[in-house]
Amino acid sequence: MERGARTRRSCAAVPLAAALVAAAFAAVPGLAAALAWERGGIAAGEWWRLVTGHLTHWDLRHAALNVVGAVLL
């Protein structure tokens, strides 16, 4: 396998993994609220919100659109 094809495949795994994590966050009721970007929570030391906030969604439609967009990328 040539090096360029391997690099493209590795790069494709990142948005796919993010899409799977986002789908899991959307599937568990209440989890998105605990992980969402919330300024007060971050200020109180909930540092994980800096990363997980980008993978949470308001509703199933929002999650589906973002997952589809990430997979297409």
Side-chain angles (χ1 to χ4, degrees), residues 7-60:
T7 302
R8 281 189 298 275
R9 192 176 319 156
S10 298
C11 289
V14 173
L16 182 58
L20 291 174
V21 170
F25 285 0
V28 178
L31 184 59
L35 302 175
W37 180 282
E38 185 180 296
R39 193 179 290 193
I42 295 168
E46 297 174 353
W47 55 267
W48 62 85
R49 292 179 183 267
L50 293 171
V51 176
T52 59
H54 299 289
L55 298 170
T56 59
H57 302 89
W58 295 313
D59 57 21
L60 188 57

Side-chain angles (χ1 to χ4, degrees), residues 22 29 40 61:
R61 180 178 180 271

